Amino acid sequence: MYKTYLKYMKIKHVFFDLDHTLWDFERNSNLTFEQLFDKYDIQLKLENFLKTYSPINFAYWKKYREERVSKEALRYGRLKDTFDALNYEVTDELIYQLSHDYIAILPSNNHLFDGVFELLDYLSSKYNLHIITNGFEEVQNLKLQRSGIQKYFNEVVTSESVGVKKPNPKVFQYALKKVSTSAEQAIMIGDSLEADIIGALNCGIASIHFNLHNEKFEQKNYVSVSSLLEIKQYL
């Protein structure tokens, strides 16, 4: 039913989230920590660190979206809390250094999800493609450049450039205005049900949820796909 609805929509603009949607954040982040652990001789099992870090990082990003922590507090706190949870003593100086180096090294690891190039080649021949991201502005453009996908996108809208973060409607309204279109002519594709899908739907923008792990959600007015190439069925 929703597939038919999308086919009848006069979509001209496709907005993508970047991290966890096109750019394989977890894989690239894990590789970055592997490099940092080696560089600073951190005597922890990387697997244990990552298992502890992942939910802490997720929680900090939720706070960041909700304007409850600053970018600096996120970068420091997620590392500090992880080391504390693992009872590993580390100085504040090293935490700040790790935080800095993590951001610097992260864009040098540029694994994308399967099907990204095929999907973008397909969509770019039919639509105008853009990015809307909550990620830090100083690294998002580097990720796009170094992964080889920047050429597909006309506009890159970051939450920092808007001053608020998805799912705040101001982000989506800003993006629509920037590309001179209406909600009825746009669609949002992203991994976060809260930030991308519900945020877009609340602004009247159709949505496709990239549900990589095939989690069970109560679907109503959006499409859910577990692989990027499934999107070709709808657009």
Side-chain angles (χ1 to χ4, degrees), residues 3 6-7 14-16 21-22 114-116 119-120 122-123 126-127 129 187-191 207-211 223-235:
K3 180 178 180 179
L6 288 180
K7 288 291 186 182
V14 179
F15 292 97
F16 277 95
T21 301
L22 300 172
D114 289 343
V116 166
L119 177 64
L120 295 180
Y122 169 78
L123 292 177
K126 302 172 67 177
Y127 308 99
L129 308 186
I187 191 165
M188 180 72 201
I189 299 171
D191 71 290
S207 300
I208 296 178
H209 182 213
F210 179 43
N211 187 4
V223 165
S224 181
V225 298
S226 58
S227 73
L228 290 175
L229 292 181
E230 286 181 62
I231 293 168
K232 293 170 69 175
Q233 300 173 27
Y234 301 95
L235 293 173

Side-chain angles (χ1 to χ4, degrees), residues 11-205:
I11 294 171
K12 295 182 178 180
H13 297 268
V14 179
F15 292 97
F16 277 95
D17 178 47
L18 180 58
D19 294 336
H20 305 284
T21 301
L22 300 172
W23 199 81
D24 191 343
F25 183 89
E26 292 301 326
R27 185 176 179 185
N28 295 321
S29 178
N30 292 353
L31 288 169
T32 300
F33 277 120
E34 185 177 350
Q35 292 169 265
L36 291 173
F37 272 43
D38 183 59
K39 179 179 179 178
Y40 292 104
D41 193 29
I42 295 173
Q43 298 299 307
L44 278 173
K45 281 191 175 181
L46 182 61
E47 182 181 356
N48 292 341
F49 173 87
L50 294 173
K51 186 176 180 180
T52 305
Y53 171 82
S54 184
I56 290 173
N57 183 50
F58 183 86
Y60 265 96
W61 271 100
K62 180 172 174 56
K63 291 177 184 178
Y64 181 67
R65 288 196 303 269
E66 296 169 352
E67 313 286 348
R68 292 192 285 137
V69 295
S70 66
K71 177 167 69 173
E72 292 73 21
L74 181 153
R75 288 179 174 180
Y76 172 85
R78 61 186 178 182
L79 291 174
K80 170 67 172 171
D81 289 1
T82 302
F83 285 123
D84 285 350
L86 293 168
N87 296 312
Y88 187 80
E89 288 191 21
V90 60
T91 65
D92 276 353
E93 181 182 8
L94 181 55
I95 291 177
Y96 283 117
Q97 190 63 55
L98 289 169
S99 172
H100 173 273
D101 287 4
Y102 175 84
I103 296 299
I105 294 172
L106 185 61
S108 65
N109 295 303
N110 279 292
H111 294 281
L112 301 170
F113 287 111
D114 289 343
V116 166
F117 285 106
E118 183 179 338
L119 177 64
L120 295 180
D121 280 333
Y122 169 78
L123 292 177
S124 62
S125 67
K126 302 172 67 177
Y127 308 99
N128 297 297
L129 308 186
H130 317 283
I131 294 287
I132 307 179
T133 174
N134 279 349
F136 302 140
E137 189 161 359
E138 65 265 38
V139 293
Q140 297 304 77
N141 286 318
L142 286 175
K143 292 174 183 176
L144 289 166
Q145 291 169 18
R146 294 176 181 177
S147 64
I149 61 173
Q150 186 180 44
K151 64 183 179 181
Y152 293 103
F153 300 102
N154 297 329
E155 297 290 345
V156 178
V157 175
T158 66
S159 60
E160 288 182 297
S161 68
V162 184
V164 291
K165 303 163 190 69
K166 296 179 294 182
N168 192 308
K170 291 181 180 178
V171 177
F172 298 98
Q173 291 162 0
Y174 177 92
L176 292 173
K177 186 175 181 180
K178 192 169 180 66
V179 303
S180 302
T181 195
S182 64
E184 293 75 22
Q185 294 181 322
I187 191 165
M188 180 72 201
I189 299 171
D191 71 290
S192 172
L193 197 57
E194 175 193 5
D196 300 315
I197 307 309
I198 295 173
L201 290 172
N202 285 342
C203 292
I205 302 171

